[in-house]
Amino acid sequence: MSLGYAEKLSFIEDVGQVGMAEFFDPSHVLQCKIEQLAKMIQKSKHLVVFTGAGISTSCGIPDFRGPKGIWTLQREGKDLPKASLPFHRAMPSMTHMALVELERAGILKFVISQNVDGLHLRSGIPREKLSELHGDSFMEMCPSCGAEYLRDFEVETIGLKETSRKCSNAKCGAKLKDTVLDWEDALPPKEINPAEKHCKMADLVLCLGTSLQITPACNLPLKCLRGGGKIVIVNLQKTPKDKKADVVIHGLVDKVVAGVMEALNMQIPPYVRIDFFQIILNQSLSKDERFINWTLRVASVHGLTSQLPFIESVEISFSDDNKFKDAVLDEQPFIIKRRTTETETFDIFLKINYSEGCDCLSTKISIPFKFEVSREEHEETIDKEAVLQSLREKAVEESSCGQSGVVERRFVSEPRSETIVYATVTNLRTFHCQQSVLANGDLKWKMETSRKRSRTGKRKPRA
């Protein structure tokens, strides 16, 4: 797992209290609190959830202040946690997906996150119902027109600095910036204002996996109290806000949320990750007009210079083995160049091999090759959302991934070019929760996760 975010932050001496002891409520106490929380959510008219690093630890992302947190280990002079998978392949947890279901059901009105892992957005929480207070490691924004770009790769900078890409809006073209705050950066009004608004409206603020030490973010949940709202804190460690909470639950976030969903008789939806890549086929006549020179490129939808982090290599073969040699492209950019006569037609077969962190090994596609001297420029009309929904449904139904479909196709006549954008299912994760009664009458949760292969103040640690 990438620890780049912590390493990129400016150095400060005081990052707050670290290495605090963890507490676990006895099983019978935990079950009573879970049932109490479920009833509070059921009665709630405006539920807001406030999340911290604790909801992502089960995704393989280390926290900061826990016994094995990044800052705890740094202070002790110990080695940092080893990566369990690439940061960009981290998948939403059971808790992330439960929040998606609560939002779809109209129960959850807003999510406020201090995390920069982008998992809430990736899980399916609508952007308009999410405040990422400290930014998103996979998001770039245009400072001129405000456009946002969610990437499949980790943006290289933090601290609201310019990146190497520009806004794709033809009327803008400004240089993009990363969205992740450094210690001295003020919370953006675009994130803090709606967060504050919803906390004031909330009758229940549920804090999940946060030590509630980073100001001013940690004070947001308290804003519900003035209107009679209640606070529930779910965290393994004690927090400075525990005395303000109606209920404090010491337990694993996934376990607590799974229990709540069971009590509410609600299912946790599967997570289906869909990634995108484009294939660009350029063709042109040679100078003597006797041959067709063509180039095939497998590229990122974020631009030709952007990396494809989820693709390891591309194997290329042809329907006419006698004309062309097979090729294996194992370094980016993935480009192959060939020459053929004007009248030849054949099929190009591509095997896209996925990288570490993808549940499926590869997917296969084919492209017919036929040179045409002239053709009107146009874009084929494809219902992208219908294709994506079909891919999701098929992946869940078949309990597997690797499915792909075309979501965009463009033709340019001069120079002759065809661009096909593919969507492909690279990960599938389903969640199962089951209650069982122990001999002493206590309830035990069995959780299974299956994988198929100040308002604008500066961020400060609370002492």
Side-chain angles (χ1 to χ4, degrees):
M1 184 62 61
S2 168
L3 303 179
Y5 164 62
E7 293 170 349
K8 293 172 188 173
L9 284 169
S10 299
F11 176 79
I12 61 170
E13 189 69 34
D14 182 14
V15 294
Q17 191 173 359
V18 300
M20 297 178 291
E22 293 182 341
F23 298 89
F24 293 85
D25 290 331
S27 58
H28 66 284
V29 174
L30 181 63
Q31 184 61 32
C32 288
K33 289 182 178 181
I34 287 174
E35 293 174 359
Q36 183 181 1
L37 174 56
K39 290 177 181 177
M40 294 173 73
I41 291 176
Q42 201 168 31
K43 294 178 181 179
S44 174
K45 301 298 182 183
H46 200 98
L47 170 65
V48 172
V49 171
F50 184 85
T51 67
I55 73 161
S56 295
T57 52
S58 63
C59 308
I61 301 175
D63 61 20
F64 292 95
R65 293 182 173 82
K68 296 182 180 179
I70 293 173
W71 290 330
T72 303
L73 296 177
Q74 282 182 337
R75 181 167 291 184
E76 295 173 352
K78 296 180 179 179
D79 292 336
L80 296 183
K82 299 297 182 183
S84 59
L85 78 166
F87 190 25
H88 61 86
R89 297 314 303 177
M91 288 181 284
S93 67
M94 182 178 289
T95 297
H96 287 99
M97 298 312 299
L99 297 182
V100 170
E101 184 64 17
L102 290 170
E103 187 280 324
R104 289 174 180 169
I107 298 171
L108 175 58
K109 305 301 182 183
F110 202 76
V111 176
I112 305 167
S113 179
Q114 301 166 96
N115 301 335
V116 299
D117 53 34
L119 291 178
H120 281 303
L121 202 55
R122 200 175 294 284
S123 70
I125 294 293
R127 181 66 179 99
E128 65 273 14
K129 294 186 178 181
L130 171 66
S131 280
E132 295 181 302
L133 296 178
H134 300 156
D136 187 329
S137 292
F138 300 92
M139 181 82 76
E140 291 177 287
M141 68 164 291
C142 178
S144 180
C145 69
E148 294 181 333
Y149 298 87
L150 183 63
R151 307 303 193 186
D152 53 23
F153 54 85
E154 188 178 2
V155 177
E156 60 271 22
T157 62
I158 72 164
L160 311 180
K161 298 182 180 67
E162 287 185 352
T163 66
S164 59
R165 290 161 291 278
K166 294 183 178 180
C167 181
S168 60
N169 186 333
K171 296 181 180 180
C172 183
K175 289 186 176 181
L176 300 179
K177 291 187 176 183
D178 70 73
T179 62
V180 177
L181 306 187
D182 204 343
W183 285 113
E184 296 305 314
D185 294 317
L187 298 183
K190 181 180 179 180
E191 307 298 334
I192 187 67
N193 289 347
E196 185 173 322
K197 169 189 169 184
H198 281 277
C199 283
K200 289 179 177 178
M201 296 171 62
D203 54 11
L204 177 61
V205 177
L206 175 58
C207 302
L208 300 174
T210 170
S211 63
L212 293 168
Q213 291 194 63
I214 299 294
T215 60
C218 67
N219 293 318
L220 285 171
L222 304 183
K223 295 186 180 296
C224 76
L225 298 176
R226 187 170 296 179
K230 298 179 179 180
I231 297 173
V232 174
I233 298 174
V234 182
N235 199 53
L236 289 178
Q237 300 165 321
K238 295 180 180 180
T239 83
K241 310 300 182 186
D242 285 357
K243 293 180 180 179
K244 301 287 186 179
D246 284 73
V247 183
V248 175
I249 305 176
H250 293 301
L252 295 171
V253 175
D254 281 350
K255 185 174 183 178
V256 172
V257 172
V260 168
M261 295 297 283
E262 180 76 10
L264 295 174
N265 197 27
M266 297 179 71
Q267 298 294 318
I268 299 176
Y271 169 66
V272 181
R273 173 155 180 166
I274 296 180
D275 285 289
F276 300 87
F277 61 89
Q278 60 180 338
I279 294 178
I280 305 170
L281 181 60
N282 294 313
Q283 307 170 35
S284 61
L285 281 170
S286 60
K287 290 183 179 181
D288 58 11
E289 298 188 353
R290 294 175 54 196
F291 299 98
I292 306 300
N293 296 322
W294 58 269
T295 302
L296 184 143
R297 178 194 293 261
V298 180
S300 169
V301 295
H302 304 302
L304 298 183
T305 60
S306 297
Q307 293 286 296
L308 279 163
F310 63 95
I311 296 181
E312 185 71 28
S313 63
V314 179
E315 298 178 35
I316 302 178
S317 57
F318 306 88
S319 58
D320 190 342
D321 296 333
N322 296 323
K323 290 291 182 182
F324 303 106
K325 290 183 178 180
D326 294 350
V328 177
L329 310 179
D330 53 10
E331 290 185 4
Q332 300 196 38
F334 301 121
I335 301 175
I336 185 172
K337 298 181 180 182
R338 291 290 188 268
R339 167 179 281 198
T340 185
T341 61
E342 187 173 345
T343 58
E344 284 183 290
T345 61
F346 50 89
D347 290 322
I348 305 173
F349 303 114
L350 293 92
K351 182 182 178 185
I352 310 295
N353 296 313
Y354 295 123
S355 59
E356 179 189 5
C358 297
D359 290 341
C360 49
L361 295 176
S362 62
T363 192
K364 295 180 180 180
I365 57 178
S366 62
I367 302 174
F369 182 96
K370 182 180 180 181
F371 180 75
E372 295 180 23
V373 176
S374 63
R375 188 168 188 169
E376 291 184 2
E377 296 185 11
H378 72 280
E379 183 171 330
E380 185 177 323
T381 301
I382 299 175
D383 189 339
K384 179 178 179 180
E385 290 306 316
V387 173
L388 298 181
Q389 184 59 29
S390 176
L391 290 175
R392 293 188 188 99
E393 292 174 355
K394 190 174 181 180
V396 174
E397 180 182 348
E398 297 177 352
S399 296
S400 64
C401 52
Q403 301 84 357
S404 61
V406 176
V407 294
E408 188 177 337
R409 193 188 299 266
R410 302 187 301 273
F411 299 95
V412 177
S413 59
E414 188 60 39
R416 165 77 176 143
S417 176
E418 179 180 0
T419 299
I420 310 172
V421 179
Y422 287 86
T424 180
V425 178
T426 52
N427 292 89
L428 172 64
R429 176 174 283 186
T430 55
F431 306 95
H432 306 283
C433 310
Q434 188 177 12
Q435 264 186 340
S436 60
V437 181
L438 301 180
N440 61 2
D442 288 340
L443 289 170
K444 180 180 180 181
W445 280 98
K446 180 183 180 183
M447 298 186 295
E448 296 180 355
T449 300
S450 60
R451 291 179 56 184
K452 307 299 178 183
R453 188 199 149 150
S454 99
R455 198 171 297 182
T456 58
K458 296 178 180 180
R459 297 173 55 209
K460 298 178 181 178
R462 183 185 178 91

